[in-house]
Amino acid sequence: MNSKIQKIELNDGHSIPVLGFGTYATEEHLKKKSMESTKIAIDVGFCHIDCSHLYQNEEEIGQAILSKIEDGTVKREDIFYTSKLWSTSHRPELVRPSLENSLRKLNLDYVDLYLIHFPASLKAMEKCKDAGLAKSIGVSNFNRRQLEMILNKPGLKYKPVCNQVECHLYLNQSKLLAYCKMNDIVLVAYGALGTQRYKYCINEDTPVLLDDPVLCAMAKKYKRTPALIALRYQLDRGIVALAKSFNEERIRENMQVFDFQLASDDMKILDGLDRNLRYFPANMFKAHPNFPFFDEY
């Protein structure tokens, strides 16, 4: 495997690669494309693959991983695979069957990390870890208040190893990051490059992150692309960043994030781009008892 890939140790003793490959595909015709792009990602050195029951492409991603195992590119233990429990399966008796269903689709014996996709109970997730179906368990889209509810829960057996949230230069999550670090929880950034501008998430007036003039000037200074600067910014903050692309050239290019670092003065300049802008407000979950998920850091 690619020796350049750095890892962060999790609070349960396992470790997570700091750069992950996102596999979300909104349209049916892209699901097969996600299989090919995952194969390319593994070929160029990605070993952290992020997926979910919600994405409805775990079968294709599993086929991609298995093909790369079969051709000798990687071993199963080289791959760090993340899946997520969707909101319709939060009742305790549905959690393990949901994970087992994902494993069947993937044709894998276990996942390396299993996340609650949106705020809910962690109890049944602990049983999946005990059963060896998930090496680590974590959460996604939790704010500080919701993390505190879990961390202060009597009888908590395993605290979440990570919290996967929207995080990019326009939403740098500095307060939530500090809280997570204080509690030995790794922050994982989705949308680290802004967004691919899904119509149901944003309006047309939303600024394009990778066109930001300050970011583009920084890219010119370092002789890198704006995307690489945006990814390196997260890694230099101790954040695990997910990068998604169906373009082979960009997938290869993203691996260059390990070839440079940003100066501290430049990090401060990039910190100044934060504008608390969410590309993914999750308005489709307005009926959820924990909505809005993001009103507190």
Side-chain angles (χ1 to χ4, degrees):
M1 284 303 297
N2 194 322
S3 59
K4 289 197 297 186
I5 294 273
Q6 299 152 9
K7 295 183 178 182
I8 294 177
E9 188 168 340
L10 300 171
N11 61 41
D12 63 356
H14 295 295
S15 58
I16 184 171
V18 297
L19 184 66
F21 185 71
T23 61
Y24 182 39
T26 53
E27 297 170 34
E28 192 60 39
H29 75 278
L30 292 176
K31 297 199 190 313
K32 283 197 171 63
K33 208 167 182 182
S34 65
M35 177 167 67
E36 293 309 312
S37 61
T38 300
K39 288 180 184 178
I40 293 167
I42 294 172
D43 279 337
V44 304
F46 278 89
C47 54
H48 173 181
I49 311 296
D50 183 88
C51 198
S52 171
H53 166 77
L54 171 67
Y55 305 167
Q56 296 294 300
N57 60 356
E58 287 199 302
E59 199 168 326
E60 289 84 355
I61 303 304
Q63 288 172 17
I65 293 171
L66 286 174
S67 73
K68 291 289 104 186
I69 292 173
E70 287 168 0
D71 72 12
T73 303
V74 291
K75 298 174 182 174
R76 171 61 185 96
E77 57 266 29
D78 295 327
I79 296 293
F80 187 99
Y81 183 85
T82 299
S83 187
K84 307 179 191 81
L85 176 74
W86 187 234
S87 307
T88 53
S89 300
H90 281 171
R91 278 166 41 208
E93 67 272 20
L94 297 179
V95 173
R96 179 166 175 167
S98 180
L99 174 52
E100 288 174 333
N101 185 46
S102 284
L103 290 171
R104 274 193 298 274
K105 287 180 179 177
L106 292 160
N107 205 10
L108 297 176
D109 295 327
Y110 65 91
V111 299
D112 295 272
L113 178 60
Y114 199 40
L115 305 180
I116 299 173
H117 214 144
F118 282 92
S121 170
L122 197 69
K123 201 68 187 170
M125 301 277 284
E126 294 182 329
K127 293 180 180 177
C128 291
K129 179 175 169 69
D130 285 336
L133 301 177
K135 286 194 169 184
S136 300
I137 54 174
V139 298
S140 182
N141 297 306
F142 275 50
N143 60 30
R144 174 176 177 156
R145 175 179 58 83
Q146 291 151 352
L147 284 172
E148 284 177 340
M149 285 169 60
I150 282 185
L151 296 176
N152 296 329
K153 192 173 180 66
L156 180 70
K157 191 171 184 181
Y158 308 114
K159 71 177 177 179
V161 299
C162 70
N163 183 21
Q164 186 181 126
V165 296
E166 180 181 352
C167 182
H168 43 75
L169 286 161
Y170 285 167
L171 181 70
N172 69 25
Q173 300 278 21
S174 57
K175 289 182 179 178
L176 183 61
L177 174 62
Y179 179 78
C180 285
K181 284 185 174 180
M182 186 173 69
N183 287 280
D184 199 17
I185 295 170
V186 172
L187 197 74
V188 179
Y190 70 77
L193 301 178
T195 177
Q196 290 174 309
R197 308 187 72 74
Y198 303 123
K199 290 178 182 176
Y200 63 87
C201 291
I202 60 170
N203 60 54
E204 293 179 1
D205 299 327
T206 309
V208 178
L209 173 63
L210 296 182
D211 289 346
D212 185 274
V214 174
L215 176 60
C216 289
M218 193 77 69
K220 192 173 181 182
K221 174 182 176 180
Y222 283 86
K223 296 182 172 60
R224 305 285 176 178
T225 62
L228 280 170
I229 300 297
L231 288 174
R232 187 69 234 184
Y233 171 74
Q234 301 293 16
L235 302 195
D236 285 350
R237 301 169 75 211
I239 289 175
V240 173
L242 302 177
K244 179 170 102 54
S245 178
F246 293 122
N247 181 289
E248 180 172 354
E249 186 180 343
R250 291 197 193 107
I251 293 170
R252 291 182 181 278
E253 176 192 279
N254 287 339
M255 290 303 300
Q256 296 173 20
V257 75
F258 298 107
D259 297 342
F260 71 104
Q261 283 185 297
L262 297 170
S264 57
D265 287 350
D266 290 331
M267 287 291 291
K268 287 175 186 171
I269 291 170
L270 294 174
D271 284 340
L273 294 180
D274 181 60
R275 51 176 83 180
N276 199 32
L277 172 70
R278 295 186 185 278
Y279 288 107
F280 186 72
N283 288 329
M284 68 280 282
F285 299 108
K286 281 183 177 175
H288 194 288
N290 281 325
F291 188 89
F293 306 121
F294 316 118
D295 57 343
E296 302 170 42
Y297 71 82

